[in-house]
Amino acid sequence: MIKILLVDDQMVLAEGIKSVLETCSDFKIAGIASDGIEAVEMTEKLKPDVVLMDIRMPNMNGVVATKRIKEADENVKIIILTTFDDSDYILSAINNGASGYLLKDIGSTALIDAIKNAHAGDTILPSKIAKKITDAAVMVSTDKEIKLKKNFSLSDREVEIALMLNDGFTNRQIAAAMKLSDGTARNYISSIYSKLGVDSRSAAMNKIKELV
């Protein structure tokens, strides 16, 4: 049995979703929260397996609530279910631990399947949403590249390596991906640190993140 918490400030919509989900014998609706604050409190109290989270709500939005819930219990699966497909919302929700992002025009069968798949550990992103993430990521990446070159005079190769550093690649992974020796990779990384004016990986990552 999959225990589900619904989070939506529009009670009519929440009740409609509840009715749809109750047609599935594998689901139990634990409750309905009307904003992000209630969602955090009810998740702690009711221990649902899956939270269906709206985005735009009073008091605390769905992105912040997602972050708070995942910080308290990383095992809870959170699916954003909203009418908004803004790329900033999508990226923020996924970066804060959401397992998926669905639009409210989804069919009942697809919604039921998505909940089961998220509960099993899958990431749920319809093609339309995935494309928005890809497009946004390309824009952010390109913007970072331009700023790294302009602000710190990094070479094209150094920009590539700096972005890999920022994504959490180890020195050895960078060397393998760029087809460099470990020593050469370290030399590039030392040069990047020097140009950024930092002396550690964490400081470099913080500097790069400040560019966006």
Side-chain angles (χ1 to χ4, degrees), residues 60-73:
M60 181 188 290
N61 70 37
V63 172
V64 177
T66 295
K67 184 175 188 292
R68 298 274 175 85
I69 290 169
K70 293 297 286 188
E71 285 173 346
D73 185 354

Side-chain angles (χ1 to χ4, degrees), residues 84-102:
F84 305 102
D85 63 353
D86 183 284
S87 59
D88 287 341
Y89 279 135
I90 300 167
L91 288 168
S92 294
I94 299 301
N95 288 337
N96 281 304
S99 296
Y101 197 108
L102 301 173

Side-chain angles (χ1 to χ4, degrees), residues 18-190:
K18 180 173 180 278
S19 296
V20 168
L21 298 184
E22 284 179 333
T23 64
C24 178
S25 59
D26 295 329
F27 295 164
K28 178 183 178 182
I29 308 304
I32 299 174
S34 60
D35 62 31
I37 293 175
E38 273 194 10
V40 174
E41 293 172 349
M42 291 178 71
T43 299
E44 183 178 355
K45 180 181 177 181
L46 300 173
K47 307 294 185 188
D49 302 303
V50 176
V51 177
L52 279 186
M53 180 80 73
D54 193 14
I55 283 281
R56 292 188 185 175
M57 297 179 291
N59 302 318
M60 181 188 290
N61 70 37
V63 172
V64 177
T66 295
K67 184 175 188 292
R68 298 274 175 85
I69 290 169
K70 293 297 286 188
E71 285 173 346
D73 185 354
E74 63 180 17
N75 293 318
V76 179
K77 307 298 183 185
I78 301 175
I79 302 173
I80 303 299
L81 183 63
T82 181
T83 54
F84 305 102
D85 63 353
D86 183 284
S87 59
D88 287 341
Y89 279 135
I90 300 167
L91 288 168
S92 294
I94 299 301
N95 288 337
N96 281 304
S99 296
Y101 197 108
L102 301 173
L103 298 179
K104 285 181 178 174
D105 60 4
I106 187 172
S108 56
T109 302
L111 177 59
I112 289 169
D113 288 343
I115 292 170
K116 290 180 178 179
N117 291 337
H119 182 254
D122 294 344
T123 298
I124 312 302
L125 290 173
S127 56
K128 179 183 176 183
I129 299 297
K131 184 178 187 305
K132 277 191 171 285
I133 290 178
T134 302
D135 291 347
V138 168
M139 288 176 66
V140 168
S141 180
T142 302
D143 191 37
K144 277 185 182 176
E145 289 174 18
I146 292 169
K147 288 179 178 176
L148 283 168
K149 289 178 183 178
K150 181 179 177 181
N151 294 1
F152 303 107
S153 302
L154 266 60
S155 68
D156 288 344
R157 177 58 63 90
E158 286 170 342
V159 166
E160 284 185 79
I161 292 172
L163 291 174
M164 293 175 76
L165 276 173
N166 192 51
D167 287 337
F169 283 71
T170 65
N171 289 13
R172 182 162 291 180
Q173 288 170 334
I174 290 171
M178 303 294 289
K179 294 181 169 57
L180 303 171
S181 69
D182 288 351
T184 302
R186 281 196 300 272
N187 289 339
Y188 271 117
I189 292 167
S190 294

